[in-house]
Every structure is written in structure tokens, then in C-alpha cells.
Amino acid sequence: MPHVHDELLAVGIETYLERQEHKSMLRFITCGSVDDGKSTLIGRLLYDSKLVFEDHLATLEVDSKKVGTQGGELDFALLVDGLAAEREQGITIDVAYRFFSTERSKFIVADTPGHEQYTRNMVTGASTADLAVVLIDARKGVLTQTRRHSYLVSLLGIRHVVLAVNKIDLVDYSQEVFEQIESDYREFASQIGLNDVTCIPMSALAGDNITEVGSNMPWYQGVPLITHLENVKVDNELQSLPFRMPVQWVNRPDLDFRGFSGQIAGGTVQPGDSVRILPSGRTTTVERIVTYDGDLEEAVAGQSVTITLADEVDVSRGDVIATSLAPPGVADQFEAHIVWMDDQGMLPGRPYLLKIGARTVSATLAQPKYKVNVNTLEHVAARTLELNEIGVCNINLDRPIPFDPYDENRDMGGFILIDRFTNATVAAGLLHFALRRSDNVHWQAIEVDKHAHSLQKGQKPCVVWFTGLSGSGKSTIANIVEQKLLEQGRHTYLLDGDNVRHGLNKDLGFTDADRVENIRRVSEVSGLMVDAGLIVLVSFISPFAAERRMARERVEDGEFIEVYVKTPIEVAEERDPKGLYLKARRGELANFTGIDSPYEAPESPELIVDTTSLPPEAAADTIIGHLRERGFID
Amino acid sequence: MTTLTHLQRLEAESIQIFREAFSESERPVMLYSVGKDSTVMLHLAMKAFAPSKLPFPLLHVDTTWKFQAMYEFRDRVVRDNGLELIEYHNPECIEKDINPFDHGTSLHVDLWKTEGLKQAVEKYGFDLGFGGARRDEEKSRAKERVFSLRSAQHRWDPKQQRPELWHLYNARKAPGESVRVFPLSNWTELDIWQYIYSEQIPIVPLYFSAPRPVVKRDGLWIMVDDERMRLEPGEEPEIRNVRFRTLGCYPLTGAIESDATTLPEIIREMLITTTSERMGRTVDHESAGSLEKKKQEGHF
């Protein structure tokens, strides 16, 4: 850390600390592979400008001699790599964050090593970066991977790009080579909307143009990398946006104080400003901006504060406080870019949780309009998205949310999707625009409603959902239940594979995505029939817990009775009434539940019917008894 | 236009993390170890919820072998700020008198701290714990998440960790699972010291140099903090001007010789110092990659 020593000696510690207080901060991401010298560059930045402690340095010296690639010279890549070891330990190699600082600035570098999982990792690292350093090997020029990295940079809304033309020493510091690469890159960058591009020729290994210009490229008129990074200002852009603050927490220490705590996602705010609460749309005035260190006269984007309002308006976690001069939109249907991040592919129609700002809602995705080939940027037709794929989809929420397009404000338009059962973060999304304004959406008032229908039929409608393996006896039992109900004068309808698969759903196969869509339609139909006042019996394998839950949520609480028809697979296979197991075992039937497609047994069904101990007739009686107990029939 | 300094940004980010984690958990707790990182973490937490009081307790998983000055400091902080402190001692360790002399560093730390933490989490049913770890402490921490999921067995499964985008954290978990949250992830050691200095946050006096009774062991100055310290034959405590860069169990924590008695002097020493932070803790020396291993087993 030569500069620290010099500065300390020159000015003394007190002055040094004083200067440190005014440091700014920049987050950037480095894009490129080890071959481009990325690890060497990061190692060099850490070494040249931050604290590389002596014991780390000693390790570095030893390792450089042992496994280094620089003939015993310091191999800076070793400061950051250690990846081989990680791979051996089976640890996910994803985003590593490195820190270094100069006299003027602190830097947080998102380092995304490796080629596998590249899209997921780079998108993660890019989501918080203000700037991207795109590395190019001067000997190779603009490659496919350069385009891929740059596309992701532009997708994630990073406005500042440094094109680091590295290994310039290996092309004899040639101005001609550099200028050719610069012009190739600029042409491509402008096509994808990257306009603020700074190109710097450098050698991370030799140290040219990293912290100092040096004498090897007298033709280069610009500043070295570090100086450029120190001069990038990001506060300006965020503060010039309209004021937005997602409310994280309602702060109520006592009855006299009611504040709303959050981090400002855009713009500035002062007491007296007129604000609107979204999605409710109520307007009021900012009274105070409260912090632990006292009230503020003004707060700006990036600060975490607590705001009190002049009026007693209803505000809760997830709401957005915004300037009333330019409030965000509110909607429940969007077009969005989706980056899929989970091993299990996207299932159109399945409800996922969507988290945006401090709000979590339920969301379903339509089949992608297309996916993007990240190497060629071509649009390709797709029915689903797999790990590391990027596509554009329509997305439907269960209630309206306040938002800004991602391009305008990342925190107001970026979201994650969470699987409701594994709780994994399965995707990242970027909202572009609303498909319709939600204030235009209202259900058509139907005077003859469910209540009227059920009064007319003298029964309480419900869905009795039979789930279980093929051959478990679902349909047999459901048929008996329907007969018995009919005998008692009930109005019923039985939905099963026979009457749905051949008509309504004849366009669907047996892939996971098709199974989800199959059940979505059946849920929808059964929901409509419940509105019509019917007792609906549904008999489908319905192997996935998520879809059964979707069906449950389609109707009101208490209207859904899940019956798990439980039969061990050996017994079902033994019965094999339609000869399907035999076919599946012979490999003539793909995606057969229980054989090569999973069955997720219900965790807490209303009823479990074990067909190894209960004959169909008795099973049907159990179900009728349950309906009576619950008051659906008398 | 206002330009936020790097400390203001770090502070605001940590506060956002605190509020998010608190809002999405049922029974949160802060792991408090009395050191400088815990002290900064506590300071940030109080800022996050002010003017409300800290809405969760502190948990000190104690080993009974900390420096006396740490216990005194801890009790004063708790009293002065009206905090709720839960002190936990693994009863098995008390019963078997587990100590660093008879049982070795590794077993001592494992039983008192790693096991103790698991027991405390289960006893009180905590579903989220704030910890003061930083990504710059060690290579393997550089890729640690801010929200880190632990299984019902308290294990850290690298494959189950979730991508973290923007400022969106996924705190969802199945029953029995818990989440560790690290609000200081993006702070460096220098940031911590700088912040203590500019916010004038009180820290344990052991960080400042003073004449203290010490003996030299394996190249480290070990302080004779109470009569339980066992001296090797020929060992004679001597008074030296020493201070500590990191705090833990006194028989396991090395001091450095120093005359730094003020914060600027400490920072100055740190800036031109020659050893990185964990060198003072003997636990890391025992095996390479030991921190990674501990983490998988449930250590913080």
C-alpha cells in the first residue's frame, strides 16, 4: 500500500482520517474470463491500491512460485482465485465481492468467475453495479462473449461502461490495434443502447494504465483506469429521479409517533413536500424526516430514513411514498424480462411469489413470447425458460403494485420470483410496462351470483379434489360419490381425464409445463362451476403440490376438499387398469407419474383414503360423511 | 446535489438490511460478541429502528473465558441502552468444565460456541440471527450471502444459497430452518474503524494499548487475565504495552505490542501494519480452510 504510507507520513493520521470521511463509493462489475486477465486485473487493483497484508503477500509469493503462471513473479490472479479449491469442495462458484479503496473512493467489485452459470452470476453481480468493466484481450478483439457480456450489462441497466483493452503489451502497445477494437466495440455498443463507453488500453500484468499512465503508450490521451473510476458520479442520476420510498417498516415506538421507515429509491425529499401513497393513491404532506442522529432538512436517494406524514393515512409495509408531482404507475399485469435462475425450469401458469421493493405478491407467468439467444441476440420461440435463459413474458399479479419501468428506476422495476414450496429464488425480472392500467380493471358486477345459485340449488357448492397415482382408484371412488350425491338430489359434476383431456385440453401433452396448464384449466373450470353452485368432483393425478394449491386458491376458503387417494405404487402398478404402467416400463410412455415423473404427495389433505384397506364403496361413504360434517349437504 | 460518502452509503445499506430482515422474521435475535464488529452492528441496528427501541434481544453465546473487560463493557452497553440480553452457556460445557487448556482450542470453541449457539437457537426458537461477519475477512467469505439459509440441523449448504439481486432479500424458510443475516457484509476492517472514529462509538478498552501482564506463546502475547490461566514451566508473566486487534477467549487471543492509546493511533497502526486480522486468533491456524468447515457445521 505505497500510497497509504506516503500520505500518512505527509499529512499525519488526523488529516488522513479527515480526508477519508469524504470518500465516495462506486460499485462495479468486471466481465470477462480468466483468459482476458480478469483475475489479474482485480488482483492488481487490490495490490496497487488497497491493503494487501503482509501475510497475504507472503502466501501470494509462495503460491506464485508454486502454482503461478508468471515464472515466479507475483501472480496477482492468485489473490482472488482459489477457485479450484472451491470447485473441489463442491461450493457454488458464483459472485464474489472484493473491496479496495483509493484516497478518493471506496470500490466494491462484483467478480463473477467461471463460464458455467455465467448468465445467472453476471446478472446477480450486475444488479447492484453502477459501472461495468468489460475486458478484452487485445490480441483477440471483440468476441462473442464480449457481446454477451455487454448485452447483459445493457439489460441490467448499467449506464457506464469501461472497455478495458487488456494485454496491450502483447501487441507491442499498438495504437492501431487499440483503435480498431475501440471502433468495433462502439459500433456494437450503440446498437444495444450503451452510449457512455470509455475505452482504455492497458496491461494488468505490467501495470500500464491501471493506477498510472506510464510511458509505454505516449499516444494515449486519456486517464488510467483508477482515475476514471474515481471520477464516475452516480449520485446525480439517482437524485434527479422523482422521489420514491418503498416503506419497509411502520415505526411506532408509542401512540404519539407513527413513522414510515425505508431507503429512498429515487429523488430527494424535504419536509412540506406533497406526496402520494401508492397503491391507495392518498395524498398528504411530509412532516418530518427522522433519523437516529436527528431530523433532516433534506434526504436523498440511497439514504435510509423514517418519514412522518401530516395526515393520518393508512400506510403499510410494501406501500410506496412518492412525489405527488410524478407518482409511479399502479398495475397488475406487465410485460417483463425474466432471467431464469433455478435448475427447475419455469412453469407457465404456476403461481410464484414476486418480491419488489418491500412488497411480496403472488404472480403467474404466461408462456414466454420469446427467449433471447444471448450470443446472437436473436429472439427464439420458447414454451418455457430453463436455467440461465432470458425471455420476455407477460406476468399477472393477484393485486396491483406501484412500479416504475426498470429502465427508469432499478429498485422500482426489478423483482425476484420465489418458489412457494422450495422457497428458492428462481428468477430475476425487469418490469417494462403495464399491459393495462389497473384502475380500468373491475369485475363486472353479476347480480345473479354464487350465493343466488347455491340458494336455488339448496346446497353449498365446493370442489372435492381427488389426487393420487394412476390406478389408485380416484375415478372409481369419485363415480360412486357422484351417484350417491345424485340419489340425494344434489347437483354435481365430475371432471376427469376422460371428459377434459379429449376436448378442452386436447392440445396438451404430459410435460411438466403441460401438466401445469392442464390443471390450471381444470381449476378454472371447477371454480366457475362452484360459482354456478355445483358440487364439483375433480379426479386428476395432479402430481404437483403447487398446482393443487393453485386450484385451492381459485375458490374461497373452506370450499376446497383435497382427497388423497393413497395407494402404494406397487399396488397401483399391479392393478394397472389401463395397461399404462406396462407401457411406461417398456419406455413407450414418457413422463409417466411414479415412473419417470414425480408425484408430490399432499402434506395436509382434508381426507386420506387408503385403498389398500378401504374398498371403494366404503371410501365413498367416508367422503360423503365428511361433506355432511362440514355442512355442504345435510 | 448531495454526494453521499462511502460510510453514509454503507450505513444506509446496513439499515435497509436490518429493517428487511426484521420485517420478514418471526423471532429475530442479534448475535453479540462484544467485539468491535458487534459494536458497530449494534449501533447500526439502533439507528435502523430509532426512535423505537431495539425490537429484538441480543444473544451472547458465552464461553466464560472472555476477558473480564469484555463482560464489564457488555453489561454497561446493555444497561445504558436499555437492551435485552440473553446470555447462553452450554450446560454440558459447564458440567464438564470445558476449557482451552485441557480440551484444546478446537473442541473448546466447538462445544461452547458452535454447539452453544445451536442450543440457544433451539431453546428460544429464533428463526433469524444477525451476525457481524464481513466479506473482506477471508477469501471464503467473499461470496457469502447477506441472507444465509441454515437447515434445521443448522448446517450451511452452499448449494442452497440464493442469488441476491438489487436490494431484494429472500428470507423465506421452511419450519425449523433459520436465516443468518450479515448487515456488515460490505464493510472492510478500515471502514469499521473509520466509522467507530467518526461516530465516536465506545469500544472495549482492550483495543487500546495499556500495560498488561502477558506471556509469549507460539509467537503470540497471551494475557494473564485471571487466576485460571495456566502457566507453562518457566513462564513468568511480564508487563508489556500491548493491545488486541481482535477479541475472543483470553487464553486464545494474541495481543500485539503497541503504544497506540487513541483511535487515530490504532487506525494508523492498522494502516501500516503487517498482519491481517485473524492472525491474532489461534482458531484459524489449526487447519487450512477451517473457517469454511466451521461455517458448514453451524459456526458463525
Side-chain angles (χ1 to χ4, degrees):
Chain A
M1 305 175 355
H3 81 264
V4 174
H5 282 260
D6 297 349
E7 199 190 353
L8 268 179
L9 290 176
V11 302
I13 182 67
E14 309 273 355
T15 312
Y16 177 82
L17 288 174
E18 170 79 16
R19 286 185 188 172
Q20 296 282 312
E21 298 248 336
H22 301 292
K23 261 192 209 179
S24 58
M25 188 161 109
L26 183 80
R27 290 166 174 268
F28 67 92
I29 179 170
T30 49
C31 321
S33 68
V34 180
D35 303 336
D36 304 321
K38 183 160 65 77
S39 297
T40 305
L41 174 65
I42 298 171
R44 165 68 74 172
L45 292 171
L46 299 182
Y47 179 79
D48 272 6
S49 47
K50 189 213 144 186
L51 317 142
V52 173
F53 289 109
E54 201 161 278
D55 58 335
H56 286 165
L57 204 56
T59 314
L60 176 64
E61 277 167 15
V62 172
D63 288 354
S64 295
K65 291 206 177 81
K66 206 165 54 186
V67 291
T69 55
Q70 303 304 325
E73 296 289 302
L74 286 187
D75 185 350
F76 296 112
L78 296 175
L79 272 178
V80 293
D81 271 355
L83 290 180
E86 291 180 357
R87 204 169 278 140
E88 279 161 25
Q89 292 169 36
I91 290 166
T92 322
I93 300 159
D94 40 29
V95 191
Y97 294 91
R98 321 276 177 193
F99 309 89
F100 71 98
S101 56
T102 66
E103 289 162 40
R104 293 170 58 195
S105 208
K106 166 172 172 143
F107 298 98
I108 301 181
V109 190
D111 179 18
T112 54
H115 298 282
E116 317 135 51
Q117 308 296 327
Y118 201 88
T119 298
R120 175 172 88 170
N121 297 339
M122 203 186 127
V123 165
T124 303
S127 72
T128 49
D130 307 308
L131 176 145
V133 175
V134 177
L135 271 104
I136 282 192
D137 183 333
R139 295 169 301 176
K140 295 179 186 158
V142 176
L143 300 177
T144 300
Q145 70 161 15
T146 316
R147 295 197 181 91
R148 177 169 76 214
H149 297 159
S150 302
Y151 166 68
L152 294 176
V153 164
S154 90
L155 178 71
L156 270 287
I158 299 178
R159 294 183 206 281
H160 309 282
V161 174
V162 171
L163 185 76
V165 182
N166 195 25
K167 304 194 179 181
I168 195 80
D169 52 327
L170 299 183
V171 294
D172 297 325
Y173 299 102
S174 161
Q175 179 176 7
E176 203 183 323
V177 170
F178 172 72
E179 284 174 351
Q180 183 59 49
I181 292 173
E182 169 165 14
S183 104
D184 289 350
Y185 187 76
R186 283 194 187 280
E187 191 191 328
F188 167 72
S190 66
Q191 287 168 21
I192 55 170
L194 294 175
N195 297 315
D196 179 358
V197 178
T198 303
C199 302
I200 304 179
M202 66 179 66
S203 166
L205 197 61
D208 297 295
N209 264 340
I210 305 297
T211 50
E212 276 164 36
V213 174
S215 57
N216 289 319
M217 288 170 279
W219 48 266
Y220 176 67
Q221 300 299 309
V223 295
L225 176 64
I226 287 289
T227 312
H228 178 73
L229 296 177
E230 284 178 337
N231 287 326
V232 174
K233 291 280 172 277
V234 292
D235 294 291
N236 226 340
E237 294 157 20
L238 279 173
Q239 289 176 28
S240 62
L241 298 174
F243 172 66
R244 306 279 186 259
M245 190 187 87
V247 173
Q248 288 186 276
W249 185 59
V250 179
N251 196 333
R252 299 208 73 174
D254 53 56
L255 290 175
D256 299 329
F257 186 93
R258 186 171 143 85
F260 307 100
S261 300
Q263 187 175 20
I264 299 174
T268 63
V269 64
Q270 296 180 337
D273 283 358
S274 168
V275 288
R276 188 173 298 181
I277 315 302
L278 284 307
S280 76
R282 286 289 307 271
T283 303
T284 177
T285 308
V286 173
E287 189 180 54
R288 294 170 58 198
I289 303 167
V290 181
T291 75
Y292 177 89
D293 301 299
D295 283 13
L296 302 180
E297 286 302 307
E298 184 187 59
V300 304
Q303 281 183 297
S304 286
V305 294
T306 297
I307 285 176
T308 66
L309 301 172
D311 303 294
E312 283 240 354
V313 288
D314 190 22
V315 182
S316 39
R317 172 169 162 82
D319 287 354
V320 172
I321 303 179
T323 172
S324 59
L325 301 173
V330 173
D332 61 359
Q333 282 194 4
F334 299 93
E335 184 182 288
H337 260 99
I338 304 286
V339 182
W340 203 259
M341 300 190 154
D342 200 52
D343 292 328
Q344 198 189 349
M346 160 182 152
L347 291 175
R350 166 180 285 194
Y352 294 97
L353 293 173
L354 179 149
K355 186 169 183 188
I356 181 168
R359 176 177 294 262
T360 304
V361 297
S362 182
T364 51
L365 302 167
Q367 218 172 60
K369 294 180 174 172
Y370 58 85
K371 62 183 179 188
V372 179
N373 177 329
V374 292
N375 293 321
T376 61
L377 309 190
E378 282 170 328
H379 295 178
V380 184
R383 299 192 70 179
T384 177
L385 295 175
E386 302 292 340
L387 177 64
N388 286 318
E389 290 188 333
I390 299 175
V392 168
C393 305
N394 283 351
I395 185 161
N396 249 299
L397 310 183
D398 66 342
R399 71 208 109 128
I401 56 161
F403 78 103
D404 288 309
Y406 182 84
D407 289 342
E408 289 172 22
N409 188 320
R410 288 198 209 182
D411 287 324
M412 289 290 293
F415 62 87
I416 54 172
L417 294 177
I418 300 168
D419 186 284
R420 305 174 70 136
F421 287 87
T422 64
N423 289 325
T425 301
V426 293
L430 301 83
L431 293 182
H432 297 308
F433 53 84
L435 294 173
R436 56 177 189 200
R437 300 296 265 194
S438 69
D439 39 23
N440 298 333
V441 181
H442 29 101
W443 294 101
Q444 191 168 355
I446 302 169
E447 283 180 8
V448 182
D449 59 3
K450 178 162 74 179
H451 184 64
H453 284 132
S454 64
L455 274 182
Q456 183 200 32
K457 298 186 179 63
Q459 64 185 33
K460 264 174 76 181
C462 65
V463 176
V464 183
W465 189 282
F466 295 80
T467 174
L469 295 168
S470 175
S472 61
K474 297 181 298 295
S475 292
T476 310
I477 298 170
N479 271 307
I480 301 173
V481 171
E482 190 176 30
Q483 275 167 20
K484 288 181 186 264
L485 288 172
L486 191 74
E487 283 162 16
Q488 295 174 24
R490 302 297 159 196
H491 302 265
T492 63
Y493 194 80
L494 173 61
L495 288 166
D496 64 13
D498 288 340
N499 59 20
V500 174
R501 277 277 184 194
H502 298 304
L504 179 63
N505 288 358
K506 72 174 173 191
D507 57 328
L508 299 176
F510 289 89
T511 63
D512 283 0
D514 281 353
R515 283 174 185 276
V516 171
E517 176 59 15
N518 181 40
I519 298 303
R520 190 192 68 79
R521 292 183 195 172
V522 171
S523 313
E524 198 56 39
V525 170
S526 58
L528 293 174
M529 287 185 170
V530 166
D531 284 345
L534 298 177
I535 294 174
V536 190
L537 308 170
V538 181
S539 167
F540 275 85
I541 298 174
S542 45
F544 302 134
E547 279 65 60
R548 296 193 299 264
R549 181 174 181 131
M550 173 167 72
R552 182 183 292 274
E553 288 176 357
R554 175 59 183 81
V555 293
E556 284 176 41
D557 278 352
E559 286 180 347
F560 190 87
I561 296 145
E562 188 172 8
V563 180
Y564 176 25
V565 183
K566 191 173 168 187
T567 307
I569 177 112
E570 310 78 54
V571 178
E573 190 166 357
E574 179 71 32
R575 291 181 190 153
D576 204 5
K578 297 174 194 163
L580 296 175
Y581 283 93
L582 204 60
K583 273 190 173 173
R585 288 288 180 200
R586 285 203 303 254
E588 293 163 13
L589 210 54
N591 299 320
F592 193 73
T593 301
I595 306 291
D596 58 350
S597 181
Y599 178 77
E600 298 168 7
E603 279 182 7
S604 46
E606 276 73 11
L607 276 176
I608 299 179
V609 180
D610 186 342
T611 62
T612 54
S613 59
L614 210 60
E617 188 72 28
D621 286 337
T622 311
I623 294 164
I624 300 272
H626 182 82
L627 290 176
R628 189 168 290 123
E629 260 172 52
R630 297 273 303 272
F632 290 103
I633 52 178
D634 357 282
Chain B
M1 194 206 51
T2 315
T3 302
L4 299 180
T5 67
H6 77 293
L7 289 178
Q8 283 175 315
R9 280 192 185 281
L10 289 171
E11 179 188 84
E13 275 179 20
S14 299
I15 289 175
Q16 190 259 347
I17 292 165
F18 268 116
R19 291 169 174 170
E20 208 54 26
F22 174 71
S23 300
E24 301 221 338
S25 62
E26 305 276 317
R27 184 128 173 76
V29 70
M30 179 186 293
L31 279 290
Y32 179 72
S33 67
V34 202
K36 65 180 195 318
D37 298 319
S38 276
T39 300
V40 167
M41 178 165 65
L42 175 60
H43 187 77
L44 290 165
M46 291 195 293
K47 284 198 174 195
F49 301 100
S52 291
K53 277 189 174 265
L54 199 67
F56 43 77
L58 309 187
L59 172 65
H60 185 208
V61 179
D62 186 31
T63 65
T64 71
W65 287 92
K66 303 290 172 188
F67 294 89
Q68 286 315 306
M70 290 171 73
Y71 296 112
E72 287 158 18
F73 178 85
R74 178 196 70 189
D75 293 342
R76 191 167 64 246
V77 165
V78 167
R79 195 176 56 238
D80 290 352
N81 296 291
L83 305 172
E84 181 192 348
L85 174 77
I86 297 171
E87 202 180 346
Y88 189 84
H89 297 106
N90 179 350
E92 189 194 349
C93 293
I94 297 175
E95 188 191 320
K96 296 189 174 147
D97 186 26
I98 300 296
N99 66 73
F101 303 110
D102 296 319
H103 304 96
T105 304
S106 168
L107 191 68
H108 170 80
V109 172
D110 192 45
L111 288 179
W112 277 110
K113 287 176 76 177
T114 311
E115 270 308 304
L117 176 59
K118 288 182 197 172
Q119 292 172 2
V121 165
E122 269 165 30
K123 177 176 172 186
Y124 295 99
F126 297 122
D127 65 341
L128 184 144
F130 294 102
R134 307 187 319 266
R135 283 173 175 153
D136 83 323
E137 279 176 78
E138 216 229 345
K139 236 194 240 177
S140 78
R141 288 249 196 232
K143 57 188 159 38
E144 174 64 282
R145 304 295 198 277
V146 177
F147 280 51
S148 177
L149 186 71
R150 303 299 157 105
S151 69
Q153 291 73 42
H154 307 276
R155 291 182 73 94
W156 177 76
D157 178 356
K159 295 193 179 70
Q160 290 297 317
Q161 302 305 312
R162 300 158 176 172
E164 289 180 338
L165 295 110
W166 299 290
H167 304 104
L168 297 173
Y169 300 103
N170 174 359
R172 292 177 63 86
K173 57 209 168 290
E177 291 176 345
S178 61
V179 180
R180 305 273 165 89
V181 176
F182 305 109
L184 302 180
S185 288
N186 288 331
W187 294 61
T188 62
E189 189 184 9
L190 179 58
D191 295 330
I192 294 285
W193 282 115
Q194 180 94 43
Y195 190 70
I196 290 171
Y197 176 70
S198 55
E199 294 277 306
Q200 302 182 324
I201 308 170
I203 50 172
V204 184
L206 293 164
Y207 286 111
F208 299 103
S209 175
R212 296 187 170 103
V214 288
V215 293
K216 189 140 204 172
R217 267 187 201 173
D218 305 327
L220 299 172
W221 288 109
I222 301 294
M223 180 170 162
V224 183
D225 194 49
D226 62 34
E227 70 294 341
R228 293 179 297 172
M229 177 74 182
R230 291 189 207 160
L231 298 174
E232 306 283 332
E235 264 184 354
E236 189 65 43
E238 51 187 305
I239 302 294
R240 294 244 169 193
N241 283 336
V242 294
R243 66 178 189 86
F244 295 85
R245 302 189 56 223
T246 155
L247 297 178
C249 293
Y250 79 80
L252 301 174
T253 308
I256 53 166
E257 287 197 80
S258 162
D259 293 317
T261 55
T262 66
L263 269 177
E265 282 169 17
I266 289 178
I267 298 174
R268 181 175 187 282
E269 249 187 35
M270 190 221 129
L271 285 171
I272 50 182
T273 197
T274 52
T275 42
S276 69
E277 194 166 353
R278 284 182 166 262
M279 281 288 273
R281 274 186 220 171
T282 60
V283 57
D284 276 349
H285 289 210
E286 297 212 334
S287 74
S290 66
L291 187 64
E292 190 82 350
K293 195 164 147 278
K294 290 216 165 315
K295 201 161 67 175
Q296 293 199 24
E297 287 163 359
H299 186 77
F300 236 72

